[in-house]
Amino acid sequence: MEFYLIRHGLAEELENHIDDLERKLTKEGKKRVKNAAKFLSKFFPCPDLLLTSEALRSIETAEIIKKKCKIKKLDSYSRLNPGASVYDYNFILSAYINKESVTSNYRIGIITHEPDLGNFALALLANQIQFDFQKEEIIYNEQEINLELNLKKSSILIIEWNGVESDLKFYSIPSIIRKIMK
């Protein structure tokens, strides 16, 4: 299976809002997300479903990708809001992952925030997240990783996962995507 990890687009400044979750994408943010969605739909099979936080900027990002990629299912969860842990990601994913999905071409898009999304990606790439095929559950073997991964807004990271090991399949930032699409 594959995880499409996408950081939400550029959003309004926090100072203009009482609640961080209500921040909308800016005009430039929408433009970059549309470009990323166009790139994704042109060069990769689209995700089968999208998971996002309840933050408006993540939901707006997901809606743009959903429309461009013709994705039928989009679910939002408070456990994926800013500050989510790898355990939170695994908890949400456990509702969508089984033996069949892990061993197939199933694709899950996750659109959330930094540093949470980067931490989840590092845990996957360090093979700390495994699938117990007998119990059909996700196991997280948490260990300190002395790396930091800061995903830029509207960037795309694709990780292939067989339940035991992960491979980085693709990563790009908006400026590279923009150059490729010209």
Side-chain angles (χ1 to χ4, degrees), residues 13 39 52-53 56 69 77-78 102 122 124 141 164:
E13 293 297 321
F39 172 84
T52 183
S53 73
L56 185 55
C69 294
Y77 293 96
S78 61
V102 171
L122 284 173
L124 270 174
N141 180 21
V164 180

Side-chain angles (χ1 to χ4, degrees), residues 2-176:
E2 292 176 342
F3 290 103
Y4 287 52
L5 307 180
I6 303 164
R7 186 168 178 204
H8 65 77
L10 292 168
E12 298 170 321
E13 293 297 321
L14 183 56
E15 299 91 43
N16 299 333
H17 296 277
I18 296 169
D19 187 351
D20 178 46
L21 298 179
E22 295 176 6
R23 294 169 49 213
K24 297 178 182 180
L25 292 179
T26 63
K27 185 177 177 182
E28 181 63 24
K30 288 178 184 177
K31 181 180 172 184
R32 289 183 187 182
V33 171
K34 285 177 184 175
N35 201 39
K38 185 177 175 184
F39 172 84
L40 192 62
S41 68
K42 182 174 181 175
F43 293 104
F44 294 97
C46 287
D48 296 295
L49 79 119
L50 294 174
L51 303 175
T52 183
S53 73
E54 293 179 329
L56 185 55
R57 60 195 179 275
S58 291
I59 293 169
E60 287 179 327
T61 299
E63 289 290 348
I64 292 167
I65 294 169
K66 180 183 176 198
K67 183 178 178 184
K68 182 65 182 172
C69 294
K70 298 179 176 95
I71 300 168
K72 293 182 177 134
K73 188 163 177 67
L74 186 159
D75 292 328
S76 299
Y77 293 96
S78 61
R79 283 189 88 145
L80 296 177
N81 286 352
S85 69
V86 174
Y87 289 104
D88 291 319
Y89 280 75
N90 290 337
F91 179 83
I92 297 302
L93 288 169
S94 66
Y96 297 92
I97 295 176
N98 56 37
K99 283 182 196 177
E100 187 179 306
S101 62
V102 171
T103 58
S104 71
N105 291 327
Y106 194 62
R107 296 169 191 89
I108 298 177
I110 303 174
I111 301 165
T112 57
H113 315 272
E114 274 301 303
D116 318 334
L117 192 60
N119 292 337
F120 176 69
L122 284 173
L124 270 174
L125 292 168
N127 299 321
Q128 292 180 346
I129 300 172
Q130 308 228 325
F131 187 77
D132 184 322
F133 286 92
Q134 285 187 310
K135 294 180 182 177
E136 287 206 50
E137 65 183 23
I138 298 171
I139 298 168
Y140 176 39
N141 180 21
E142 183 177 14
Q143 296 174 2
E144 187 175 332
I145 300 173
N146 292 322
L147 289 173
E148 198 172 291
L149 179 61
N150 293 309
L151 301 174
K152 291 187 177 277
K153 292 178 179 149
S154 302
S155 62
I156 301 169
L157 178 72
I158 300 175
I159 298 174
E160 191 169 18
W161 183 63
N162 67 10
V164 180
E165 297 178 327
S166 298
D167 287 313
L168 177 62
K169 188 172 177 180
F170 176 80
Y171 175 66
S172 190
I173 58 175
S175 60
I176 303 293

